[in-house]
Amino acid sequence: MASLDAYSSYSSSVFISGLRSLPNQLQTWNLFYLKCPSSRRYPSSPSPFSTLTSSLHVPAALAAAPSPARLRPRADSIDLDNDPISLLHLRIRRYHTSRDSSSRPAMDSKEADKYIQLVKEQQQRGLQKLKGERQSKSNSDAGGFSYKVDPYTLCPGDYVVHRKVGIGKFVAIKFDIPSPSSPPIEYVFIEYADGMAKLPLHQASRLLYRYNLPNETKRPRALSKLSDPGAWEKRKTKGKVAIQRMVVDLMELYLHRLKQRRPPYPKNAAVAEFEAHFPYEPTPDQKLAFRDVERDLTERQTPMDRLICGDVGFGKTEVALRAIFCVISAGKQAMVLAPTIVLAKQHYDVISERFSKYPDVKVGLLSRFQTRAEKETYLEMIKHGDLDIIVGTHSLLGSRVVYNKLGLLVVDEEQRFGVKQKERIASFKTSVDVLTLSATPIPRTLYLALTGFRDASLISTPPPERVPIKTHLSPYNKEKVALAVKNELDRGGQVFYVLPRIKGLEEVKDFLEHSFPDVEIAIAHGKQYSKQLEDTMEKFALGEIKILICTNIVESGLDIQNANTIIIQDVQQFGLAQLYQLRGRVGRADKEAHAYLFYPDKSFLTDQALERLQAMEECRELGQGFQIAERDMGIRGFGTIFGEQQTGDVGNVGIDLFFEMLFESLSRVEEHCVVSVPYNSVEIDLNVNPHLSSEYINYLENPIKIIGEAEKAAEKDIWSLVQFTENLRRQYGKEPHTMEILLKKLYVRRMAADMGIMRIYASGKMVGMKTNMSRRVFKLMTDSLSSNVHGNSLVIEGDIIKVSFATAWLAELLLELPSEQLLNWVFQCLSELHACLPNLIKY
């Protein structure tokens, strides 16, 4: 046995010394497993074991004998930095825990093709509906949607992105004469890191984009260099990879939703009677929204997930009421979820009034205004199906609320809910119909609607009697505040006075009481006792209170026809969507309304705050909530998608080019699909046949069962194989070298099956992998590799992936290696390629 160890040590040292003569680059590639195994080798007389994989040999006598007494567990620690299997586990576990991939298995190719076509049609409908106006104004040569910038709208110093050159700074548009005999031509002059470039105007309009970032800073990290186009291509490639990953995440989420089924709701003749009770004439956009929701509920078999985007007072609630009537008529329950008690109470009042002619319909409000006994009664009624419509705040999402037969969830102002509540709302979407109402949808919701992954209806037509709200923006001045309040009181109206924090409300009240001693003034905020807050709101609604000093608790819900002036102090501390919502509290009637936005001093404002104020000034017309949300997305980004921050990815190319690349990727989504093959059909012709030592076989409790479980786990999926290996290591410690080779062979076969590789072989002077992968998919995978080690050495020719001609010396070297170390190279190569699978649709 000592001589075997000596031979093993000698052979390894010879192999290592031989490597020193190779180029230094190869030595840094970490292609080979060079360390001698920590366990000792023991002689044995191996013979094939019929029930195990053909590549494994164990002594037959040992397999037949009963297991000896357990040895003391090995104490070998696993060096994560040098153990390739552990590194693979870390990557797979990170992906598996970041999203429940087990709940979204690979699809049948015919089924996926059908759904992908549905997604593409949905995307086109979404773009046409939501971006129709902008699309009609886009470049005529594009023939469709475009984010390209009109050079005439640029100001000197604006950052721009040239699709082929990179990020530069706009200088000017000037006439220049290219040659003495030519007429003057308009050129766009752009400054880059190493010089100035001029671009003919007609060319610039096709290739230039405005550079925006989803955060406060608008400056790029650096300008691109005209002399180094390769650096820009690398940045653009990173952007493409990030986009593809987002597209796949969205696609799989949408496909998962499309696979859910529920029977369509029956068309009910009583709906016409319910609609007749609506006291107003619906606007054209409202009628379209009514039809969209009716089709979702009565003609589709998949749960509805629709966004109704419309300004405050434009009739979103009526759309929800008709959906509720359709659902409860079929014997299901409906839940109406609001972010604040104020808004929940208003919804309860409106719903109770609309359904007052239907005594069999029971409506309930669950809020902190109720006593414990009242809450318990309502919870029991919900559980037993005695309540048809349940209205409330986030408490409706709690574990104590058990629904009997929930059919519809209506979410008002989704952007006001926290992360946990949003996750809970998302969990409903696979089983119930969801209708989301918003005047300024959060950027993530807007993003999904823009790309067509979420149905959306836009209500932008104001009611006939509505007039635009006059917006006044200025530094804070007490005289201006007093004059604004006086003007409203003189015409018999009421005033909202909003501050960002509770601290400061009393100070403002003292000032106003001193200025208007005979006027009823009150304070409202979320920390008040329930009864006190309810009384204050009711008195303001009845007109008994003339000035309401409050926080943004009134952002949603209060519909006071007589309140037509709102004063917002310290506007820089509010978000753009908040400001838009607050401004919408006034102007609900046919009177001209005023919104006064006061800031301390522009010198104290950030660029982002200034941009928000500019957006509020520009979006003064009615029905511009969607445009506000779009501006918000430009200012602060479209948020976190599926738990992964996208800001860095957008920063590579800017928001506008990022979105255009996104739409291009969506239009070719079917080209980025990988078709897996059955595990058992994968052939590995590398002549690797590991032999387990008799010591390790004695050490295992039931070697035949363990190896059989390994094969079953590998056949199921890679996550099952990871769990098997980790359980094995927990029970028996780090496996010896021969068991590691066996596991690597299982991993290679599993990863190959996932990527559509049917055969891995060594032939002549070539290491090849036969695959069904397309060139485009292969290019995307190699572009996505975290290192260039394998990406630069692999090419695809026809249906064979092989070592490229430029690195043919590597192929020759690989074929001279022992077969086990060739397997190590294949394992690491496939591990890197397999890490790119999240960027592809899996069939």
Side-chain angles (χ1 to χ4, degrees):
M1 285 189 285
S3 62
L4 281 174
D5 287 337
Y7 174 75
S8 175
S9 176
Y10 169 76
S11 62
S12 292
S13 63
V14 170
F15 182 70
I16 294 170
S17 64
L19 275 180
R20 294 194 182 109
S21 63
L22 296 175
N24 290 333
Q25 179 190 16
L26 178 62
Q27 295 182 36
T28 64
W29 278 15
N30 190 28
L31 297 177
F32 313 110
Y33 184 92
L34 299 176
K35 294 186 177 181
C36 291
S38 57
S39 60
R40 301 179 65 192
R41 305 288 184 103
Y42 291 89
S44 60
S45 301
S47 60
F49 208 79
S50 58
T51 58
L52 307 181
T53 175
S54 60
S55 63
L56 174 68
H57 297 276
V58 297
L62 286 170
S67 297
R70 291 288 309 280
L71 301 175
R72 192 165 66 90
R74 294 159 53 89
D76 300 9
S77 62
I78 299 172
D79 184 355
L80 292 179
D81 293 333
N82 294 314
D83 180 45
I85 292 179
S86 294
L87 294 174
L88 177 65
H89 286 188
L90 282 174
R91 192 259 305 164
I92 293 172
R93 183 173 290 282
R94 192 180 304 122
Y95 173 68
H96 194 272
T97 53
S98 67
R99 42 187 300 206
D100 187 9
S101 54
S102 62
S103 67
R104 299 181 204 161
M107 283 193 176
D108 173 77
S109 59
K110 288 183 180 179
E111 182 185 33
D113 284 338
K114 180 182 73 173
Y115 287 136
I116 284 173
Q117 191 57 39
L118 283 172
V119 169
K120 292 181 72 174
E121 291 172 5
Q122 172 76 356
Q123 176 207 354
Q124 290 305 314
R125 285 197 300 271
L127 288 176
Q128 288 168 8
K129 183 171 293 186
L130 297 173
K131 304 296 295 178
E133 184 179 345
R134 183 171 181 171
Q135 192 169 354
S136 65
K137 294 178 182 176
S138 65
N139 297 331
S140 57
D141 58 319
F145 179 79
S146 175
Y147 264 98
K148 297 177 184 69
V149 67
D150 179 356
Y152 284 114
T153 64
L154 295 170
C155 300
D158 284 353
Y159 291 102
V160 294
V161 182
H162 187 289
R163 186 152 191 157
K164 294 182 179 177
V165 180
I167 301 169
K169 189 187 292 186
F170 174 75
V171 177
I173 299 176
K174 295 180 182 178
F175 280 96
D176 199 4
I177 302 174
S179 63
S181 59
S182 303
I185 296 176
E186 266 189 302
Y187 286 92
V188 178
F189 287 81
I190 303 171
E191 178 189 344
Y192 288 93
D194 56 350
M196 187 78 69
K198 65 177 185 179
L199 197 64
L201 186 65
H202 66 89
Q203 192 179 0
S205 62
R206 295 198 305 268
L207 295 172
L208 282 186
Y209 303 81
R210 193 182 292 275
Y211 183 84
N212 289 317
L213 282 180
N215 50 37
E216 290 199 25
T217 173
K218 295 294 171 185
R219 294 175 60 87
R221 292 191 297 271
L223 298 182
S224 300
K225 291 183 178 181
L226 294 168
S227 58
D228 188 10
W232 169 244
E233 282 301 318
K234 284 182 181 177
R235 289 184 70 171
K236 204 160 66 167
T237 298
K238 283 185 178 179
K240 284 181 181 175
V241 170
I243 283 167
Q244 183 59 29
R245 187 167 59 246
M246 289 165 56
V247 167
V248 170
D249 283 339
L250 285 168
M251 186 68 70
E252 289 188 349
L253 179 73
Y254 191 74
L255 296 183
H256 181 65
R257 185 165 70 83
L258 285 176
K259 290 183 74 176
Q260 307 305 311
R261 286 287 179 269
R262 60 113 174 94
Y265 288 95
K267 293 188 177 182
N268 194 334
V271 172
E273 180 189 344
F274 182 81
E275 292 171 355
H277 296 152
F278 185 50
Y280 306 103
E281 177 64 28
T283 63
D285 286 346
Q286 259 187 308
K287 290 178 181 177
L288 287 174
F290 293 154
R291 282 200 292 271
D292 288 341
V293 173
E294 183 183 2
R295 275 197 296 266
D296 288 347
L297 293 173
T298 62
E299 297 178 15
R300 287 190 182 179
Q301 293 185 343
T302 53
M304 173 177 68
D305 183 15
R306 181 169 291 277
L307 167 68
I308 306 293
C309 184
D311 268 13
V312 287
F314 275 34
K316 302 185 298 292
T317 305
E318 179 61 22
V319 178
L321 289 171
R322 297 187 184 193
I324 290 170
F325 186 86
C326 179
V327 169
I328 64 171
S329 297
K332 295 289 188 74
Q333 291 174 307
M335 176 188 3
V336 180
L337 192 62
T340 64
I341 299 171
V342 173
L343 183 53
K345 180 68 166 59
Q346 179 176 317
H347 278 310
Y348 173 74
D349 292 339
V350 170
I351 292 169
S352 298
E353 183 182 348
R354 279 302 302 275
F355 285 89
S356 61
K357 296 181 176 62
Y358 302 89
D360 293 338
V361 176
K362 305 298 181 185
V363 185
L365 173 66
L366 199 65
S367 77
R368 64 184 176 93
F369 287 159
Q370 296 161 327
T371 64
R372 184 184 296 273
E374 288 174 330
K375 285 182 182 177
E376 291 298 329
T377 302
Y378 272 132
L379 289 174
E380 284 298 311
M381 292 177 71
I382 294 170
K383 184 176 180 180
H384 294 102
D386 296 330
L387 274 183
D388 301 293
I389 306 171
I390 305 102
V391 186
T393 57
H394 60 271
S395 60
L396 293 180
L397 301 173
S399 57
R400 293 193 64 212
V401 187
V402 180
Y403 296 92
N404 182 275
K405 42 192 173 179
L406 187 63
L408 174 68
L409 168 62
V410 178
V411 185
D412 200 0
E413 302 302 342
E414 185 183 17
Q415 74 273 13
R416 299 286 305 279
F417 290 97
V419 174
K420 288 184 178 179
Q421 284 85 37
K422 287 174 187 168
E423 289 175 356
R424 181 77 174 117
I425 291 168
S427 70
F428 279 101
K429 293 186 178 182
T430 58
S431 56
V432 303
D433 294 275
V434 178
L435 189 64
T436 305
L437 314 178
S438 182
T440 51
I442 56 174
R444 181 185 182 279
T445 302
L446 172 67
Y447 167 81
L448 292 173
L450 274 173
T451 51
F453 284 100
R454 190 176 190 181
D455 297 304
S457 300
L458 180 61
I459 303 178
S460 56
T461 313
E465 71 279 1
R466 293 289 293 276
V467 291
I469 302 164
K470 282 200 170 182
T471 304
H472 312 270
L473 186 64
S474 69
Y476 179 77
N477 180 291
K478 285 190 174 182
E479 287 73 21
K480 286 184 180 180
V481 170
L483 182 61
V485 174
K486 182 178 183 300
N487 289 339
E488 183 60 41
L489 294 177
D490 286 348
R491 63 175 182 172
Q494 295 167 269
V495 178
F496 287 103
Y497 196 119
V498 183
L499 283 88
R501 295 190 181 91
I502 296 173
K503 183 181 178 181
L505 295 179
E506 289 290 347
E507 183 182 339
V508 170
K509 186 181 181 186
D510 291 342
F511 161 65
L512 291 176
E513 283 179 338
H514 182 265
S515 303
F516 305 97
D518 300 326
V519 174
E520 186 70 24
I521 302 172
I523 287 177
H525 57 79
K527 298 293 184 182
Q528 289 177 324
Y529 288 114
S530 304
K531 187 63 178 170
Q532 181 187 1
L533 180 60
E534 189 176 14
D535 289 345
T536 301
M537 293 299 185
E538 191 172 344
K539 286 180 179 179
F540 188 66
L542 293 172
E544 296 173 15
I545 294 171
K546 297 298 182 183
I547 304 174
L548 183 66
I549 307 167
C550 54
T551 58
N552 65 336
I553 192 173
V554 298
E555 178 184 329
S556 305
L558 276 188
D559 185 2
I560 312 297
Q561 299 280 317
N562 196 41
N564 286 295
T565 291
I566 185 167
I567 296 168
I568 307 173
Q569 189 175 317
D570 290 332
V571 289
Q572 77 281 359
Q573 295 187 35
F574 291 95
L576 182 56
Q578 281 183 309
L579 289 174
Y580 190 76
Q581 290 275 41
L582 286 168
R583 187 174 68 175
R585 292 305 100 212
V586 297
R588 294 305 196 92
D590 53 359
K591 285 185 180 179
E592 184 177 66
H594 298 268
Y596 295 87
L597 312 182
F598 291 110
Y599 54 88
D601 191 299
K602 279 194 175 180
S603 61
F604 295 110
L605 302 183
T606 64
D607 291 343
Q608 195 177 20
L610 285 170
E611 197 164 348
R612 281 199 297 267
L613 298 182
Q614 183 183 350
M616 285 297 294
E617 277 195 302
E618 291 174 2
C619 295
R620 295 184 177 197
E621 296 300 315
L622 293 172
Q624 290 190 304
F626 185 78
Q627 286 82 354
I628 282 285
E630 215 181 6
R631 289 289 294 272
D632 198 20
M633 182 159 58
I635 292 169
R636 67 182 178 93
F638 45 82
T640 304
I641 309 295
F642 303 103
E644 183 176 350
Q645 187 62 37
Q646 305 295 331
T647 302
D649 300 326
V650 178
N652 284 314
V653 294
I655 286 177
D656 286 2
L657 179 55
F658 189 87
F659 263 77
E660 186 142 304
M661 290 164 66
L662 171 66
F663 293 133
E664 289 173 0
S665 183
L666 283 166
S667 66
R668 297 196 305 267
V669 68
E670 71 278 3
E671 298 174 10
H672 297 142
C673 299
V674 61
V675 182
S676 61
V677 296
Y679 172 82
N680 291 322
S681 68
V682 178
E683 300 175 25
I684 301 178
D685 299 333
L686 298 177
N687 193 29
V688 179
N689 300 302
H691 298 66
L692 295 188
S693 67
S694 56
E695 181 203 42
Y696 190 64
I697 292 171
N698 283 333
Y699 178 60
L700 297 176
E701 210 166 78
N702 190 334
I704 300 175
K705 182 181 178 183
I706 288 173
I707 302 302
E709 287 175 351
E711 281 280 7
K712 285 180 182 177
E715 187 175 349
K716 185 179 179 184
D717 55 45
I718 197 160
W719 177 242
S720 299
L721 185 55
V722 167
Q723 290 178 305
F724 167 82
T725 306
E726 290 182 347
N727 288 335
L728 182 71
R729 288 179 166 185
R730 271 193 292 270
Q731 189 169 359
Y732 297 104
K734 173 71 170 71
E735 68 280 347
H737 179 60
T738 48
M739 186 64 182
E740 181 183 333
I741 292 298
L742 172 63
L743 288 172
K744 282 184 178 177
K745 193 170 181 180
L746 294 175
Y747 277 106
V748 164
R749 197 174 181 191
R750 179 66 262 169
M751 290 188 290
D754 290 343
M755 292 185 286
I757 295 172
M758 290 85 79
R759 184 181 174 220
I760 302 172
Y761 60 95
S763 174
K765 293 186 176 181
M766 182 183 77
V767 178
M769 306 180 200
K770 184 177 174 62
T771 180
N772 59 24
M773 198 181 294
S774 68
R775 281 180 176 276
R776 188 180 291 276
V777 168
F778 177 77
K779 176 73 164 58
L780 181 66
M781 292 183 82
T782 51
D783 284 345
S784 306
L785 293 177
S786 55
S787 72
N788 294 325
V789 172
H790 295 102
N792 291 340
S793 64
L794 297 175
V795 294
I796 186 168
E797 294 180 3
D799 61 351
I800 303 296
I801 299 173
K802 62 182 184 179
V803 176
S804 65
F805 179 76
T807 53
W809 57 272
L810 174 61
E812 291 184 24
L813 173 66
L814 291 173
L815 294 173
E816 291 175 4
L817 294 176
S819 56
E820 288 183 3
Q821 294 186 356
L822 177 57
L823 178 70
N824 287 329
W825 182 86
V826 172
F827 174 86
Q828 291 194 3
C829 180
L830 291 187
S831 294
E832 287 200 29
L833 291 174
H834 196 270
C836 306
L837 276 185
N839 302 337
L840 298 160
I841 302 289
K842 273 76 71 182
Y843 280 3

